[in-house]
């Protein structure tokens, strides 16, 4: 889609949104809401229809290999941004040799390069690793006169190749197809280089009256050799070829002998050609390259992941649809139409902005199915209260949306804070999860606040809708929750201490290879291989910390093997030799260095810490410090207990699990904010009674919503747990634990902490909202 069209369309939509929220006329709001919905749906559908705009799949879904490279500076050397960009270009030229479609080569931070190669055959992985690690070979070699005509005669047998020379081709220009390779010029150059790139100290592109050129500097030994070579070539205006990794970058004519180690290469250069040649001469990859991380997924496992993701998504959606229809009836139909708009809008944004869909991203979409209904539950529970006061439906709808807006807004903003920080700190598939979560929250706010309200208005004004009926499973009894606050907090303290003990006792076993480094190999065997067979075959390798586990992916039964760093190749080879009659292949292979593992752990802790600080600041501004302290304590309570239970059940923390933990934090604060919003409303319109009684009443008033939201989210996550496949099972299980613990803390932990903190600090909650 044309960027200019996108820009002006965005301006129009923003203008319509502003008009919608400013106008007070019901008729205008109805029409503006309808126009905005039609435009956004049309825009989203159009974004996903052309083949060029289809959502791209990550390597974990389509299969392929990802490498994370780090440039290792030499003593006294610092990796600069120019060196990193030049290294990216050299790596890109090497990857192009594999002939794969849509490779990704991009800088990561100040000294790392991410290389993603889709469809790479497992047998090529080791060879690719060696190719990527190889330092660039820069050479200067004399060109034999005669050129292409002499080469054609040699190929026809009419002439012979001069001794000590060989035929070399120029580098294939970007975008040229293999079928056009016969158009690439060739030269006859000396086999033994006259000068190597080790002697080049500096190279840069320049522009003067003669056009673009490249200037280079040589060290002392290189200067002397260069003078000798150019002195020999100058009388005949011979040419000197500059080769990188065996491909000719340039072959300038030598007109004069060059002394002093300073030379300029001129010709009919374009800007990019001059910069590329300077990049080759500077040769950043003479600096050693270390591969810190390798992740490989076979296309078969990627296809299984897509099927599992679709199945879990459909199952979760069907379960939510059935419940919403049965419980809210006609209002449920409106909510489901809003959910459909939500999904269309979500995929449209992902396609429009070229986001890559990963397996954790599918998990984020499935999770938003449950969370998207939360806003509708808040609205409909408010609508139930408004109708119970005897208001006509039109006024009840107006009051419900007005009162529910602050809770919806605050709850979603806190979720956006955690998702935004996760996007900032994370990388790879986890970033895909945070993207879908952010887009899902934005889409759900639009569908709930604008679309469903607009549709209900049209139904009231034009279809004559007078009444809405809903089921009600909320308990009629008013519970005195704060009466049990001392017992509840005591139980929480005991469980938290127990969680810390369990986590500390397991130690390093809590962490997967993402954090402590090592190899993860998932093998598929036909017929299937038992764990005991595999373990017996691997005993002779004498490897420590070898962990074998059964994994289920679609109809295939696989074995995952965790082992020390750089041992997965030995393991695969030993299994293939031990069981030659079985077809044993690597379905997935991950290698993570210890250093990058430590960095992942640091970033994970930083993401969690920054998320908590962001939530603390936001809740302080919106509700006050006492409420912020309560929310933070409840959040820590949920995270620590979930981690403890996950550790107790033998789970391992991975990068994907960091996303799960932050999702739990977002869900916890989301649930707490809804209770806080009702307490704030009660304090603002206090009608008598103590603050404790008011808090009890607020918790009871939101209890129905808490049960419904928790139940609907559980339905979506249960579908992910049972149908999402082995990769996402731990993720879904952690979310399940987090939902249960978070529901408990929003009732029994957050409000008591607010009450105690306000008393201890002498803060008057009643005066805070007056």
């Amino acid at each position: 889609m044309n960027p200019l069209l996108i820009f002006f369309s965005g301006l129009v939509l923003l203008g319509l949104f502003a008009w919608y929220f400013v106008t007070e006329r019901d008729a205008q709001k109805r029409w503006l809401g309808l126009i905005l919905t039609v435009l956004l749906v049309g825009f989203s559908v159009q974004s996903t229809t052309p083949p060029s705009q289809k959502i791209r799949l990550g390597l974990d879904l389509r299969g392929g290999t990802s490498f994370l490279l780090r440039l290792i500076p030499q003593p006294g050397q610092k990796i600069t941004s120019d060196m990193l960009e030049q290294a990216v270009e050299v790596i890109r030229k090497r990857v192009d040799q594999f002939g794969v479609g849509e490779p990704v080569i991009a800088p990561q931070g100040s000294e790392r390069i991410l290389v993603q190669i889709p469809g790479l055959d497992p047998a090529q992985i080791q060879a690719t690793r060696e190719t990527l690690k190889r330092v660039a070979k820069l050479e200067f070699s004399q060109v034999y006169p005669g050129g292409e005509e002499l080469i054609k005669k040699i190929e026809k047998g009419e002439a012979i190749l001069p001794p000590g020379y060989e035929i070399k081709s120029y580098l294939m220009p970007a975008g040229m197809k293999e079928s056009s390779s016969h158009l690439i010029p060739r030269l006859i150059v000396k086999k033994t280089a006259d000068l190597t790139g080790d002697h080049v100290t500096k190279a840069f592109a320049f522009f003067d009256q003669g056009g673009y050129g490249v200037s280079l500097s040589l060290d002392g030994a290189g200067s002397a050799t260069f003078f000798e070579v150019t002195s020999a070539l100058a009388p005949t205006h011979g040419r000197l070829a500059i080769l990188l990794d065996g491909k000719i970058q340039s072959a300038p004519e030598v007109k004069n002998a060059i002394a002093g180690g300073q030379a300029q290469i001129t010709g009919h250069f374009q800007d990019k050609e001059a910069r590329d040649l300077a990049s080759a001469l500077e040769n950043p990859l003479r600096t050693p390259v270390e591969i810190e991380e390798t992740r490989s997924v076979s296309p078969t496992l990627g296809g299984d992941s897509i099927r599992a993701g679709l199945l879990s998504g459909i199952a979760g959606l069907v379960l939510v649809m059935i419940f919403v229809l049965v419980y809210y009836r006609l209002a449920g139909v409106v909510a489901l139409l809003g959910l459909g708009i939500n999904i269309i809008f979500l995929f449209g944004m992902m396609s429009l902005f070229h986001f890559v869909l990963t397996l954790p991203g599918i998990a984020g979409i499935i999770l938003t199915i449950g969370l998207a209904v939360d806003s509708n539950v808040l609205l409909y529970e408010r609508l139930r209260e408004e109708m119970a006061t005897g208001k006509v439906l039109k006024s009840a709808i107006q009051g419900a949306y007005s009162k529910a807006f602050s809770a919806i807004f605050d709850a979603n903003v806190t979720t956006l804070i955690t998702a935004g920080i996760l996007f900032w700190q994370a990388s790879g598939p986890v970033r895909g999860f945070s993207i879908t979560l952010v887009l899902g929250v934005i889409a759900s706010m639009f569908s709930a606040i604008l679309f469903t309200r607009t549709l209900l208005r049209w139904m009231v004004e034009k279809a004559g809708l007078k009444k809405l009926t809903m089921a009600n499973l909320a308990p009629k009894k008013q519970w005195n929750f704060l009466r049990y606050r001392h017992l509840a907090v005591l139980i929480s303290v005991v469980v938290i201490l127990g969680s810390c003990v369990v986590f500390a006792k397991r130690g390093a076993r809590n962490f997967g290879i993402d954090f402590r480094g090592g190899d993860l190999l998932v093998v598929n065997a036909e017929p299937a291989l038992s764990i005991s067979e595999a373990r017996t075959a691997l005993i002779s390798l004498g490897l420590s910390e070898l962990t074998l586990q059964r994994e289920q992916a679609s109809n295939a039964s696989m074995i995952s093997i965790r082992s020390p760093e750089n041992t997965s190749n030995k393991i695969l080879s030993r299994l293939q030799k031990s069981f030659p009659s079985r077809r044993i292949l690597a379905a997935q292979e991950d290698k993570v260095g210890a250093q990058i593992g430590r960095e992942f752990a640091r970033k994970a802790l930083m993401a969690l810490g920054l998320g908590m600080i962001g939530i603390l600041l936001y809740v302080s501004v919106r509700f006050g410090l006492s409420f912020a302290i309560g929310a933070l304590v409840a959040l820590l309570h949920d995270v620590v207990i979930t981690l403890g239970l996950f550790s107790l059940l033998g789970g391992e923390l991975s990068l994907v699990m960091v996303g799960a933990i932050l999702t739990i934090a977002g869900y916890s604060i989301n649930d707490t904010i809804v209770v806080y919003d009702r307490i704030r409303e009660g304090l603002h319109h206090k009608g008598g009674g103590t603050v404790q009684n008011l808090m009890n009443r607020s918790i009871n008033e939101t209890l129905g919503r808490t049960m419904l939201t928790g139940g609907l989210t559980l339905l979506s996550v249960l579908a992910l747990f049972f149908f999402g496949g082995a990769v996402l099972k731990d993720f879904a299980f952690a979310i399940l634990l987090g939902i249960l613990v978070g529901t408990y803390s929003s009732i029994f932990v957050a409000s008591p902490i607010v009450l105690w903190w306000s008393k201890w600090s002498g803060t008057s909650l009643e005066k805070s909202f007056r």
Side-chain angles (χ1 to χ4, degrees):
M1 189 178 293
N2 190 306
L4 195 61
L5 177 62
I6 295 173
F7 175 75
F8 284 110
S9 300
L11 288 180
V12 171
L13 288 171
L14 283 175
L16 291 173
F17 268 113
W19 189 4
Y20 175 86
F21 286 107
V22 167
T23 184
E24 296 294 332
R25 298 174 61 182
D26 284 343
Q28 282 188 353
K29 276 190 178 292
R30 287 200 313 273
W31 280 105
L32 286 170
L34 178 61
I35 293 170
L36 279 167
T37 300
V38 171
L39 287 177
L40 282 172
V41 170
F43 205 62
S44 299
V45 171
Q46 196 276 337
S47 297
T48 57
T49 46
S52 60
Q53 293 289 343
K54 286 183 179 178
I55 298 173
R56 294 180 296 161
L57 300 179
L59 292 185
D60 54 354
L61 293 178
R62 59 174 169 165
T65 306
S66 171
F67 303 92
L68 186 63
L69 284 62
R70 184 171 74 93
L71 297 180
I72 305 173
Q74 299 302 292
Q77 183 188 42
K78 183 180 179 181
I79 304 298
T80 65
S81 59
D82 288 341
M83 292 174 67
L84 188 65
E85 289 178 9
Q86 291 165 356
V88 168
E89 289 305 314
V90 174
I91 293 293
R92 190 184 308 280
K93 291 167 186 174
R94 291 182 179 179
V95 172
D96 287 344
Q97 297 174 10
F98 296 109
V100 296
E102 299 182 5
V104 175
I105 301 98
Q108 298 281 296
S110 59
E111 57 183 27
R112 290 188 174 90
I113 301 171
L114 175 67
V115 180
Q116 293 184 334
I117 307 177
L120 192 64
D121 190 288
Q124 294 180 294
I125 293 175
Q126 187 58 34
T128 306
R129 286 172 60 88
E130 297 303 321
T131 300
L132 294 175
K133 285 195 302 182
R134 190 181 70 238
V135 295
K137 187 179 180 183
L138 180 67
E139 299 171 310
F140 295 81
S141 294
Q142 295 183 45
V143 176
Y144 191 85
E148 194 72 34
E149 290 300 321
L150 179 57
I151 293 174
K152 289 179 180 178
K153 288 182 179 180
I154 292 171
E155 290 176 340
K156 292 178 181 179
E158 299 174 359
I160 61 171
L161 190 66
Y165 284 83
E166 60 185 341
I167 299 172
K168 291 286 186 182
S169 301
Y170 275 79
L171 178 72
M172 181 181 291
M176 179 176 281
K177 298 180 180 179
E178 287 290 337
S179 58
S180 305
S181 60
H182 63 280
L183 301 175
I184 299 172
R186 296 173 297 172
L187 296 174
I188 302 173
V189 301
K190 280 182 67 174
K191 287 183 179 180
T192 304
D194 294 290
L195 184 70
T196 62
D198 295 338
H199 298 289
V200 178
T201 58
K202 189 176 183 181
F204 59 90
F206 68 86
F207 180 81
D208 59 16
Q209 293 179 345
Y212 286 99
V214 177
S215 178
L216 70 143
S217 302
L218 301 166
D219 60 16
S223 298
T225 304
F226 199 62
F227 177 71
E228 292 178 8
V229 174
T230 54
S231 295
L233 291 173
T236 58
H237 286 194
R239 300 170 70 184
L240 186 64
I242 303 169
L243 300 98
L244 181 66
D245 285 341
K247 296 291 184 181
I248 300 172
Q249 300 284 313
S250 179
E253 186 179 279
V254 179
K255 298 179 180 179
N256 300 293
I258 300 172
Q262 303 290 326
Q264 288 188 346
I265 304 171
T266 56
H268 301 289
F269 288 120
Q270 298 296 323
D271 177 27
K272 187 177 184 306
E273 293 173 331
R275 285 188 286 106
D276 286 347
L277 180 56
S279 169
L281 291 169
E282 185 88 351
N283 188 21
L285 284 188
R286 61 187 173 197
T287 303
V289 171
E290 176 187 20
I291 297 181
E292 293 188 315
E293 176 187 292
T294 303
R295 298 183 186 274
S296 178
V297 177
S298 70
T300 302
L301 187 58
D304 287 341
S305 298
I306 293 176
R307 285 189 291 273
L310 288 173
L311 180 61
S312 56
I314 293 170
L317 184 60
V318 169
L319 290 172
V320 169
M321 287 175 64
I322 292 173
F323 184 89
V324 170
L325 284 174
V326 171
Y327 195 81
Y328 286 115
R329 298 161 194 176
L330 180 59
V333 174
V334 175
L336 292 181
L337 288 173
L339 182 59
I341 296 292
N342 183 354
I343 294 172
I344 292 171
F345 191 24
L346 172 61
F347 281 101
M349 286 191 292
M350 290 186 68
S351 177
L352 180 64
F353 296 108
H354 304 291
F355 289 132
V356 177
L357 183 62
T358 62
L359 193 56
I362 291 179
I365 293 172
I366 295 169
L367 191 60
T368 57
I369 292 174
L371 294 177
V373 186
D374 179 43
S375 297
N376 290 108
V377 171
L378 275 169
L379 291 165
Y380 289 165
E381 292 304 303
R382 280 287 192 174
L383 182 58
R384 185 200 307 278
E385 295 174 11
E386 294 292 306
M387 290 189 298
T389 63
K391 291 183 179 180
V392 297
L393 186 56
K394 181 178 179 179
S395 299
I397 291 172
Q398 179 68 29
Y401 276 82
S402 177
K403 291 179 179 179
F405 177 78
S406 60
I408 294 172
F409 181 80
D410 289 331
N412 282 289
V413 167
T414 50
T415 303
L416 286 173
I417 289 173
T418 57
I421 290 172
L422 182 60
F423 176 80
W424 174 33
Q425 288 294 314
S427 61
V430 185
R431 180 169 286 186
F433 168 76
S434 65
I435 288 172
T436 54
L437 193 58
V438 168
L439 295 181
V441 168
I442 295 171
S444 66
M445 288 184 68
F446 166 80
S447 64
I449 295 174
L450 192 146
F451 171 75
T452 58
R453 187 176 188 177
T454 299
L455 184 54
L456 286 172
R457 277 176 165 161
W458 278 101
M459 292 169 71
V460 169
E461 295 292 336
K462 300 301 180 182
L465 182 65
K466 302 294 183 183
K467 185 180 179 182
L468 286 172
T469 58
M470 309 173 188
N472 190 359
L473 297 178
K476 300 292 188 292
K477 182 179 179 180
Q478 295 290 302
W479 300 88
N480 188 354
F481 291 106
L482 291 182
R483 178 182 176 183
Y484 305 102
R485 62 186 183 278
H486 296 94
L487 176 62
V489 170
L490 178 62
I491 293 172
S492 292
V493 169
V494 170
V495 177
I496 286 172
L497 291 175
S499 298
C500 293
V501 169
V502 169
F503 197 84
K505 191 172 181 180
R506 278 195 81 202
R509 288 180 297 163
N510 288 304
F511 301 96
I513 66 166
D514 286 341
F515 295 123
R516 58 177 173 170
D519 288 9
L520 170 64
L521 176 67
V522 179
V523 295
N524 182 22
E526 296 180 5
L529 195 66
S530 71
I531 289 180
S532 60
E533 286 176 320
R535 194 184 301 278
T536 302
L538 298 175
I539 287 176
S540 60
L541 293 178
L543 298 175
S544 60
E545 301 181 11
L546 198 64
T547 304
L548 285 78
Q549 185 175 341
R550 176 68 61 192
E551 303 282 0
Q552 191 68 35
S554 186
N555 296 322
S557 182
M558 304 182 182
I559 295 178
S560 66
I561 305 171
R562 290 167 176 79
S563 61
E565 192 175 350
N566 295 322
T567 58
S568 59
N569 291 334
K570 295 179 183 178
I571 292 171
L572 181 61
S573 177
R574 177 55 56 89
L575 290 175
Q576 289 172 336
K577 289 179 180 178
S578 300
F579 305 99
S581 61
R582 301 187 186 185
R583 188 168 177 264
I584 298 177
L585 298 174
Q588 179 181 344
E589 187 176 358
D590 295 351
K591 297 175 182 286
V592 180
Q595 180 176 343
I596 195 68
R598 289 191 293 270
E599 188 168 323
F600 284 154
R602 180 181 61 80
K603 284 189 174 183
L605 288 173
M606 184 178 292
L608 188 59
L610 290 174
M612 291 181 178
I613 292 172
I615 289 170
L616 180 67
L617 292 175
Y618 183 80
V619 179
S620 294
V621 171
R622 292 288 291 163
F623 294 89
L625 184 60
S626 297
F627 288 90
I629 296 296
L632 190 60
V633 170
L635 188 154
L636 283 169
H637 167 279
D638 298 347
V639 169
V640 171
I641 291 180
T642 301
L643 282 173
L645 292 173
F646 190 70
S647 176
L648 180 65
L649 296 170
E652 285 187 352
L653 289 176
S654 63
L655 280 178
V656 175
M657 283 302 300
V658 174
I661 296 300
L662 280 172
T663 302
I664 291 166
Y667 181 86
S668 170
I669 198 68
N670 188 305
D671 214 20
T672 302
I673 287 292
V674 173
V675 178
Y676 280 2
D677 184 75
R678 190 60 69 100
I679 294 173
R680 175 174 59 184
E681 182 181 326
L683 289 170
H684 188 70
H685 305 288
K686 189 174 180 184
T690 64
V691 172
Q692 181 175 327
N693 290 336
L694 172 62
M695 286 184 169
N696 262 321
R697 187 166 66 249
S698 299
I699 295 172
N700 277 283
E701 287 172 347
T702 57
L703 190 60
R705 174 263 163 200
T706 300
M707 293 169 57
L708 287 170
T709 299
L712 288 171
T713 309
L714 277 173
L715 287 177
S716 297
V717 179
L718 280 171
L720 186 63
F721 178 78
F722 286 111
F723 306 114
V727 180
L728 290 178
K729 197 166 188 176
D730 283 351
F731 175 89
F733 184 65
I735 298 290
L736 285 172
L737 293 176
I739 290 172
L740 297 174
V741 177
T743 302
Y744 167 84
S745 70
S746 66
I747 296 173
F748 290 104
V749 176
S751 296
I753 295 297
V754 174
L755 193 61
W756 287 332
W757 184 269
S758 62
K759 289 180 178 178
W760 179 80
S761 62
T763 304
S764 174
L765 296 177
E766 295 95 328
K767 294 180 181 179
S768 300
F769 300 106
R770 289 186 180 178

